[in-house]
Amino acid sequence: MQWLVTGGAGFIGTNFIRLALAAHPDLSIVNLDKLTYAGNRQNLADLEGSGRYQFLQGDICLPAHVERAIELAGGRPAAIINIAAESHVDRSITAAGECVRTNVLGTQVLLDAARRCAAQRFLQVSTDEIYGSLGPAGRFHERSPLAPNSPYAASKAAAELLVRAAVHTHGVPAIITRGSNNYGSYQTPEKLIPLAISNADAGQPIPLYGNGANIRNWIFVEDHCRGILAALERGRPGEAYNLGGTDEIENRALLGQILGLMGKPSSLIRPVPDRPGHDFRYSLDSTRAITELGWTPQIGLTEGLARTIAWYRSNPAWTAQSRDSKFAAYYQGQYPTLHHEAAPR
Ligand code: NAD
Ligand code: TDX
């Protein structure tokens, strides 16, 4: 059995490939990844040469690169799993072009390829952000309207509509998963949790947007990856499945919990100007995935954070490599009010 995975050198892709190969001894995977700032080939270097994993550097927006990846996967992969994306909301607010190109055009190029090679399944990894923002109460279910608020979220919603059209018009057997906020190993430190852990370990201030009352629904990355696998194997083509995590928490309380677990002072938290258009709250009703796929998230926030902190502390070289000079330039542009306090290491 051969699968084509895109974006497998990023955070969720790395975790997904490890999980899928462990779950299926007869599976081999081709990983097509452009290696943007968010991709790191070394994440899965130990699998290269195993005979079950091949890495191909390439761009999902370029049909020739996608065709090459499909050839490497034997010409007719049993599944194409699209994990590649420009995934950071803040970067999409500063400059939306790459986000729209990869997330929208790239998805269409992959759908066209799936049709041509008659892949048996296409799985689009999407996000809760396509639903927009909630107030203090309520949850999103799969029939909630798409109401994205950031350029990133809008590009992911657009990709979902292209997937829907490919199912309806061309009969592509595609399934969509909508995960909530992920955390865990291999996440680049532009995102809140790895930024907090790596800044705290370096004794540097942690930026908290606005009043810190925004709420996210956190899912441990391995729970999310099990959900993607379950949807691929047991989901119905044409359907979307919410994959929400176990915990909802305000950002300021989350940072307090992380610092407590790390034995660091909460005085490291520094309010910074709010994100423009900042969604207040996300919360997913995952009843469909629980009943149809037999999936449930298993790792609660306290355990997941402890495991995540332990991973970052065991892998300082990985973090140092992620926090390179390009990251420093990004950080200075994103957090000008913090820059004078300390530069990221
Ligand atoms: P990430 O930014 O860590 O990784 C993205 C990967 O895609 C990188 O390896 C990058 O090199 C690759 N990539 C980018 N553009 C590419 C292109 N044009 N061609 C080929 N490869 C390209 O992202 P992530 O956090 O792992 O997210 C993965 C997917 O999961 C995304 O589709 C995202 O929308 C979705 N998602 C993420 C979260 C989350 O909390 N991180 C939650 C729900 C859904
Ligand atoms: O420095 C920060 N300070 C801060 O207060 C950063 C980077 C974020 N925040 C806030 C903004 C959000 O309310 O923390 C929350 C989480 O922010 P991010 O880690 O940037 O995630 P979010 O914007 O919620 O989006 C994430 O979840 C859905 C992923 O990045 C997306 O790819 C996914 O689709």
Side-chain angles (χ1 to χ4, degrees):
M1 181 164 65
Q2 309 223 47
W3 292 356
L4 169 60
V5 174
T6 71
F11 162 47
I12 294 171
T14 294
N15 281 282
F16 178 77
I17 289 174
R18 287 200 184 282
L19 178 87
L21 289 175
H24 294 295
D26 60 335
L27 173 66
S28 59
I29 289 179
V30 172
N31 172 15
L32 174 66
D33 195 298
K34 187 178 172 185
L35 296 182
T36 67
Y37 73 91
N40 185 344
R41 181 173 178 172
Q42 293 310 310
N43 290 355
L44 295 172
D46 55 307
L47 298 178
E48 291 189 37
S50 67
R52 299 181 57 207
Y53 170 75
Q54 277 179 281
F55 176 78
L56 178 66
Q57 184 170 6
D59 186 340
I60 60 167
C61 300
L62 299 176
H65 291 192
V66 173
E67 283 312 311
R68 175 78 189 118
I70 286 174
E71 275 167 33
L72 280 180
R76 192 189 174 202
I80 298 176
I81 299 124
N82 183 24
I83 308 182
E86 285 292 333
S87 70
H88 194 31
V89 172
D90 290 328
R91 287 183 192 258
S92 84
I93 291 169
T94 309
E98 269 310 294
C99 184
V100 172
R101 179 180 176 276
T102 287
N103 300 0
V104 183
L105 175 64
T107 299
Q108 185 59 47
V109 169
L110 289 168
L111 287 165
D112 290 342
R115 183 156 65 101
R116 256 195 319 279
C117 76
Q120 290 154 41
R121 279 287 180 276
F122 184 99
L123 192 131
Q124 173 72 6
V125 174
S126 191
T127 170
D128 57 3
E129 301 206 12
I130 53 102
Y131 295 120
S133 184
L134 286 168
R139 304 190 114 184
F140 292 123
H141 53 79
E142 286 82 354
R143 277 176 297 281
S144 300
L146 303 192
N149 288 321
S150 71
Y152 161 75
S155 73
K156 294 294 291 185
E160 284 206 18
L161 296 180
L162 293 172
V163 172
R164 177 189 157 91
V167 173
H168 186 80
T169 305
H170 298 298
V172 175
I175 294 164
I176 293 169
T177 57
R178 296 172 178 156
S180 62
N181 275 65
N182 280 230
Y183 67 104
S185 55
Y186 298 104
Q187 187 170 29
T188 47
E190 63 184 1
K191 306 285 173 65
L192 180 64
I193 288 181
L195 184 67
I197 294 170
S198 51
N199 274 17
D201 257 337
Q204 291 169 9
I206 300 164
L208 178 65
Y209 294 164
N211 64 5
N214 302 66
I215 295 169
R216 294 292 180 266
N217 178 190
W218 292 97
I219 185 167
F220 192 58
V221 65
E222 291 170 21
D223 277 334
H224 184 211
C225 290
R226 283 192 305 100
I228 296 170
L229 205 56
L232 184 66
E233 291 169 355
R234 298 190 285 284
R236 284 177 291 140
E239 288 294 345
Y241 295 89
N242 285 349
L243 300 172
T246 48
D247 295 78
E248 280 183 39
I249 187 169
E250 289 186 352
N251 292 336
R252 56 191 172 200
L254 174 71
L255 291 185
Q257 194 172 342
I258 291 170
L259 291 169
L261 285 165
M262 295 180 72
K264 300 282 182 183
S266 57
S267 57
L268 284 173
I269 299 171
R270 217 56 105 253
V272 298
D274 209 352
R275 170 185 282 174
H278 196 174
D279 282 341
F280 174 66
R281 175 170 167 259
Y282 304 135
S283 179
L284 289 180
D285 177 338
S286 305
T287 306
R288 178 182 285 175
I290 291 165
T291 53
E292 274 189 34
L293 308 177
W295 168 87
T296 46
Q298 288 171 0
I299 309 292
L301 189 62
T302 306
E303 181 188 345
L305 285 177
R307 284 171 63 172
T308 305
I309 292 164
W311 187 87
Y312 281 91
R313 287 186 157 168
S314 308
N315 292 279
W318 188 94
T319 308
Q321 198 186 343
S322 302
R323 294 174 69 114
D324 60 6
S325 56
K326 279 193 188 148
F327 177 80
Y330 160 79
Y331 191 92
Q332 286 163 24
Q334 185 64 29
Y335 307 108
T337 56
L338 286 191
H339 174 50
H340 68 277
E341 286 199 46
R345 73 181 167 184

